[in-house]
Structures are given as C-alpha cells and as structure tokens.
Amino acid sequence: MRYVLDTSALFAMQDLPPGEVFVTAGVIAELRKYEDPRLRFWEDMLHVSSPSPASLDKVRKAASRTGDDARLSPTDMEVLALAIDLKAELLTDDYSIQNLARVMGVRYRGVGMKEIKEVVRWKYRCTGCRKEWDENYPDCPICGSPLRSSRSRK
Ligand SMILES: [Zn+2]
C-alpha cells in the first residue's frame, strides 16, 4: 500500500502506516521548521518525491475552481499532485486538501479523527482484592479498599 502524507498527517500520527510512505521536500522542510523530533526516526522511512508538472497544473486549476487555492500552500498542492501521480492514498487532516481531494477523486483519509472515534472506557480496580468494577464506588463493595481508575479500550 502506498501513502502520501502531508504535514498535518505526520503531526497527528504516532506511527507511520505500514507500506510505502511518500512525502514532498516541502513537507520535510515544514517538519524541520517546527523541529519535530520524530523526523529523526522517520526520515529514513520516508520516500521524498516530487509531483509531475502536469498533475500540479491539474491541482492548481481545480483549486482555483473550488476556491481552495487561497487556503492551500504550494506544499499542499504538491502533496495532492503527488498522490495523483502515485495513485496513492492521501493522509491529511487539512480540510481544504480533503475538500480538493474529494473534488478530484483522490482517495484520502484523515488521521487525527481516528482518535476521537476511539471509545475510551474507565475501569475501577480495587487496590485490595484487585476486583475490577465498571462503576466508581467510594470504596470496594467487597473488601472496602480504595478503587483506582484505569483506562480500558473497548
Ligand atoms: Zn476489594
């Protein structure tokens, strides 16, 4: 699986997706600018590539039609054009890029949204008898010891 990532996607993710991950030189420059420490770990795994002038031209024209051109940086447009060239899925949390991707029929996915959809439930574990409770009681109904909360994913 091939992915093209923009800066917003890289900022939002903990791990790179499995597969081939492409960025543009502009994305690397933005990560450097913000001194993102993850760049050090990721740099060897990121393929840096440039879009073809033809795809970039298509993106520019589509952006001026939708009115997204004012909100998109040259790097944003390059990322989208690269996704077209590579027939790759575009990962971005930028609303304007997503909008243009939709208009141009480019597959895309948000990254940060996933965190919100993930349901986190709290569990309460007794510090005495270790029983786990779904509700937070003032103390353990079995042995009377204090409960401690812990996150559990469901
Ligand atoms: Zn207990």
Side-chain angles (χ1 to χ4, degrees), residues 83-131:
I84 294 169
D85 284 339
L86 298 173
K87 295 175 175 61
E89 187 171 50
L90 178 60
L91 302 189
T92 177
D93 280 342
D94 184 298
Y95 181 74
S96 288
I97 300 179
Q98 289 184 355
N99 186 49
L100 200 53
R102 191 184 307 121
V103 167
M104 299 188 75
V106 176
R107 271 188 307 142
Y108 69 91
R109 192 149 49 90
V111 176
M113 330 280 190
K114 202 174 143 237
E115 299 294 315
I116 297 162
K117 271 191 241 149
E118 195 171 74
V119 179
V120 172
R121 286 190 18 170
W122 289 93
K123 290 266 187 193
Y124 304 91
R125 186 185 285 281
C126 173
T127 55
C129 69
R130 315 298 297 165
K131 176 153 174 59

Side-chain angles (χ1 to χ4, degrees), residues 1-147:
M1 189 72 195
R2 284 176 155 186
Y3 299 96
V4 173
L5 273 62
D6 81 339
T7 311
S8 71
L10 285 163
F11 276 138
M13 61 179 51
Q14 303 297 319
D15 294 299
L16 294 177
E20 282 186 287
V21 180
F22 291 83
V23 295
T24 64
V27 170
I28 296 283
E30 283 179 2
L31 288 175
R32 278 226 176 87
K33 193 174 77 188
Y34 294 110
E35 295 175 356
D36 192 296
R38 290 166 300 178
L39 185 60
R40 238 181 300 142
F41 306 110
W42 288 349
E43 202 159 22
D44 293 342
M45 291 179 275
L46 298 172
H47 301 273
V48 181
S49 191
S50 315
S52 66
S55 293
L56 199 51
D57 193 49
K58 260 195 267 176
V59 171
R60 279 204 198 99
K61 282 187 179 137
S64 72
R65 274 201 307 275
T66 61
D68 285 306
D69 52 349
R71 287 183 294 274
L72 293 173
S73 69
T75 297
D76 295 339
M77 296 205 201
E78 280 170 15
V79 163
L80 188 50
L82 184 62
I84 294 169
D85 284 339
L86 298 173
K87 295 175 175 61
E89 187 171 50
L90 178 60
L91 302 189
T92 177
D93 280 342
D94 184 298
Y95 181 74
S96 288
I97 300 179
Q98 289 184 355
N99 186 49
L100 200 53
R102 191 184 307 121
V103 167
M104 299 188 75
V106 176
R107 271 188 307 142
Y108 69 91
R109 192 149 49 90
V111 176
M113 330 280 190
K114 202 174 143 237
E115 299 294 315
I116 297 162
K117 271 191 241 149
E118 195 171 74
V119 179
V120 172
R121 286 190 18 170
W122 289 93
K123 290 266 187 193
Y124 304 91
R125 186 185 285 281
C126 173
T127 55
C129 69
R130 315 298 297 165
K131 176 153 174 59
E132 220 173 36
W133 303 91
D134 288 329
E135 273 178 79
N136 191 15
Y137 299 104
D139 43 39
C140 177
I142 293 174
C143 72
S145 303
L147 302 183

